[in-house]
Amino acid sequence: MDSTDIFKNDLKEQAGGILISDTINGERVIFLGKSNVPKRTDTYESFGGRTEKQDVSSLHTAIRELVEEFFNYKISTKLV
């Protein structure tokens, strides 16, 4: 089995996020979540956040944050 680190060239220790968009009835839409930051309770934002020490890459951070914020579920590093 090849033990090459496929993430070796990826950004590390950087925030990551995912912006979900689509076209519905010819209109472009962006799917946002309501902010959980106390000073920004009246705003909406994309899904993302800070890196954690166990994150493998910024893509990993983005996927983990999406799952945590969209599904309100803390996912393990191995599942991401």
Side-chain angles (χ1 to χ4, degrees), residues 30-79:
I30 299 174
F31 190 72
L32 302 171
K34 190 162 182 163
S35 178
N36 62 358
V37 176
K39 294 180 182 179
R40 295 185 278 185
T41 57
D42 293 334
T43 63
Y44 293 85
E45 52 195 26
S46 62
F47 302 95
R50 292 185 193 137
T51 187
E52 293 182 0
K53 65 180 180 178
Q54 72 272 14
D55 290 341
V56 176
S57 67
S58 291
L59 175 60
H60 185 274
T61 301
I63 293 169
R64 179 186 51 75
E65 285 286 342
L66 173 69
V67 172
E68 287 179 6
E69 294 176 5
F70 194 82
F71 297 103
N72 196 28
Y73 179 76
K74 183 76 170 170
I75 190 168
S76 76
T77 300
K78 290 183 180 184
L79 284 177

